[in-house]
């Protein structure tokens, strides 16, 4: 936006960011304001150089860059853990849900591949570790698109494992592995990340492959939240209860948590960007977390969409559209 002809667009952007930072909005108001602004600025971009005469593909890239720029600048006002760190008012229950889910996953650290019917073979640990690391990268990035790419990459590595083991590329193979990877990775702020992507990623971009991957992750979370011995294989109710009890006993004592303190249950993961300044204006770019996430090139999920829905219907869980 350094061209003189683009100055009107730059002015609209600066005005929106500054005004957004001056008030406290509910999350629904934030979603509405940001979507309306992005629609408005897209129209204005098409009216001036350098965007007036570029191809549709190039313009799509430009609008993606605009969404990323806006969300990078508003990260401390829209991503719940960052809102909390910056001492802005928190209007959602994301952090409480994050804590409950993370503690629950710690109780299931003993779950093995056989309990979820996860296929195994030569090279499986490497694929599983790779998938876990891709999912954990999510907390490093700021933009919804980049966080979503981390989810996509995790799922694509899982499909790489399925192909490596010459298994059927359907939901019956894919979803148990995804659940297992989520359990073993136990990423910090998983609910907050899913909600942030669902709220602030362009709805048009949450279609097809991206939408199914995000829905699959949501379904995996739902499965874990309700998991008991009947959801697992090769384990009795007594064994399940004994394992959970042992996991509870192994948990370190939790110190008292006061308002605004860090969650004491967190473990080392890719760091979140630093706290926001106390000034009203959105912080300038510090680059950390603003670099682009790189998509892996592995198979599409379009062919397993219906299988995914049927799998969760059989297990009693539902997939909600993002």
């Amino acid at each position: 936006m350094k061209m003189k002809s683009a100055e009107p667009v730059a002015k609209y952007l600066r005005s929106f960011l500054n005004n957004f930072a001056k008030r406290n909005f509910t999350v629904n108001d934030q979603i509405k304001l940001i979507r309306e602004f992005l629609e408005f600025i897209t129209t204005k971009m098409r009216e001036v150089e350098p965007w007036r005469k570029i191809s549709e593909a190039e313009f799509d890239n430009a609008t993606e860059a605009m969404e990323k720029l806006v969300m990078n600048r508003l990260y401390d006002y829209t991503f719940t853990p960052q809102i909390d760190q910056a001492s802005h008012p928190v209007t959602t229950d994301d952090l409480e849900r994050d804590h409950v889910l993370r503690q629950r996953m710690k109780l299931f650290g003993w779950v093995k591949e056989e309990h979820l019917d996860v296929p195994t073979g030569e090279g499986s640990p490497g694929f599983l570790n790779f998938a876990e690391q891709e999912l954990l990268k999510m907390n490093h990035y700021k933009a919804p698109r980049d966080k979503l790419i981390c989810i996509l990459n995790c799922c694509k590595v899982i499909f790489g494992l399925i192909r490596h083991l010459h298994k059927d590329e359907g939901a019956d193979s894919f979803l148990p592995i995804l659940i297992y990877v989520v359990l073993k990775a136990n990423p910090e702020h998983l609910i907050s990340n899913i909600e942030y992507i669902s709220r602030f990623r362009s709805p048009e971009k949450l279609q097809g492959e991206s939408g199914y991957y995000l829905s699959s992750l949501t379904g995996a979370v739902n499965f874990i939240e309700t998991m008991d011995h009947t959801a697992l294989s090769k384990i009795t109710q007594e064994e399940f209860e004994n394992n959970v009890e042992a996991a509870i006993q192994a948990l370190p004592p939790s110190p008292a948590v006061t308002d605004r303190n860090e969650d004491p249950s967190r473990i080392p993961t890719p760091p979140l960007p630093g706290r926001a300044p106390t000034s009203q204006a959105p912080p300038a770019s510090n680059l950390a977390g603003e670099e682009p996430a790189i998509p892996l090139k592995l198979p599409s999920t379009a062919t397993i969409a219906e299988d995914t829905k049927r799998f969760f219907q059989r297990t009693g869980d539902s997939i909600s559209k993002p």
Side-chain angles (χ1 to χ4, degrees), residues 71-129:
M71 295 315 303
N72 281 346
R73 297 297 179 271
L74 297 182
Y75 191 60
D76 292 334
Y77 302 88
T78 53
F79 184 56
T80 305
Q82 286 298 116
I83 297 172
D84 187 55
Q85 287 188 27
S87 297
H88 299 311
V90 176
T91 62
T92 72
D93 63 352
D94 297 351
L95 292 177
E96 290 82 359
R97 293 172 64 201
D98 283 335
H99 179 73
V100 170
L101 177 63
R102 201 144 192 258
Q103 289 295 93
R104 183 171 177 80
M105 286 198 282
K106 286 185 177 182
L107 300 183
F108 297 131
W110 50 267
V111 171
K112 299 179 180 179
E113 291 97 325
E114 64 187 38
H115 295 135
L116 289 165
D117 299 317
V118 171
T120 58
E122 184 179 358
S124 294
F127 277 93
L128 293 171
N129 183 260

Side-chain angles (χ1 to χ4, degrees), residues 1 73 75 80 92 98 163 175 179 185 204 267 277 295 309:
M1 288 188 286
R73 297 297 179 271
Y75 191 60
T80 305
T92 72
D98 283 335
R163 287 188 169 182
L175 290 165
I179 293 166
E204 291 75 20
I267 58 175
K309 295 176 185 176

Side-chain angles (χ1 to χ4, degrees), residues 258-271:
T258 58
D259 193 29
R260 300 293 180 188
N261 278 357
E262 294 293 329
D263 179 353
S265 68
R266 66 177 54 178
I267 58 175
T269 56

Side-chain angles (χ1 to χ4, degrees), residues 100-200:
V100 170
L101 177 63
R102 201 144 192 258
Q103 289 295 93
R104 183 171 177 80
M105 286 198 282
K106 286 185 177 182
L107 300 183
F108 297 131
W110 50 267
V111 171
K112 299 179 180 179
E113 291 97 325
E114 64 187 38
H115 295 135
L116 289 165
D117 299 317
V118 171
T120 58
E122 184 179 358
S124 294
F127 277 93
L128 293 171
N129 183 260
F130 187 11
E132 291 169 28
Q133 293 306 310
E134 288 301 311
L135 187 61
L136 288 170
K137 288 178 183 178
M138 182 170 51
N139 277 316
H140 172 72
Y141 294 100
K142 294 182 179 181
R145 178 180 184 272
D146 293 320
K147 289 179 178 289
L148 184 57
I149 286 174
C150 295
I151 297 172
L152 266 62
N153 286 347
C154 168
C155 294
K156 288 179 178 181
V157 171
I158 291 172
F159 276 107
L161 171 59
I162 293 170
R163 287 188 169 182
H164 174 72
L165 297 176
H166 305 290
K167 300 295 183 180
D168 177 64
E169 294 182 27
D172 287 345
S173 296
F174 167 66
L175 290 165
I177 302 176
L178 177 60
I179 293 166
Y180 183 77
V181 166
V182 172
L183 276 173
K184 294 306 177 182
N186 194 358
E188 190 174 21
H189 302 313
L190 182 55
I191 298 291
S192 289
N193 276 287
I194 291 174
E195 293 292 351
Y196 175 74
I197 294 167
S198 300
R199 291 165 186 159
F200 300 111

Side-chain angles (χ1 to χ4, degrees), residues 17 37 234 292 300:
L17 296 177
F37 174 74
K234 301 177 183 177
S300 166

Side-chain angles (χ1 to χ4, degrees), residues 33-98:
L33 287 168
I34 290 172
R35 287 184 181 176
E36 288 180 350
F37 174 74
L38 290 173
E39 290 176 4
F40 167 80
I41 206 68
T42 296
T43 301
K44 294 301 179 183
M45 288 167 65
R46 259 306 187 195
E47 295 174 356
V48 299
E49 299 295 343
W51 304 289
R52 181 185 296 167
K53 297 179 181 179
I54 61 177
S55 68
E56 286 301 319
E58 290 172 323
F59 190 69
D60 183 67
N61 288 336
T63 57
E64 286 276 54
M66 179 59 74
E67 179 190 277
K68 176 167 180 166
L69 176 60
V70 169
M71 295 315 303
N72 281 346
R73 297 297 179 271
L74 297 182
Y75 191 60
D76 292 334
Y77 302 88
T78 53
F79 184 56
T80 305
Q82 286 298 116
I83 297 172
D84 187 55
Q85 287 188 27
S87 297
H88 299 311
V90 176
T91 62
T92 72
D93 63 352
D94 297 351
L95 292 177
E96 290 82 359
R97 293 172 64 201
D98 283 335

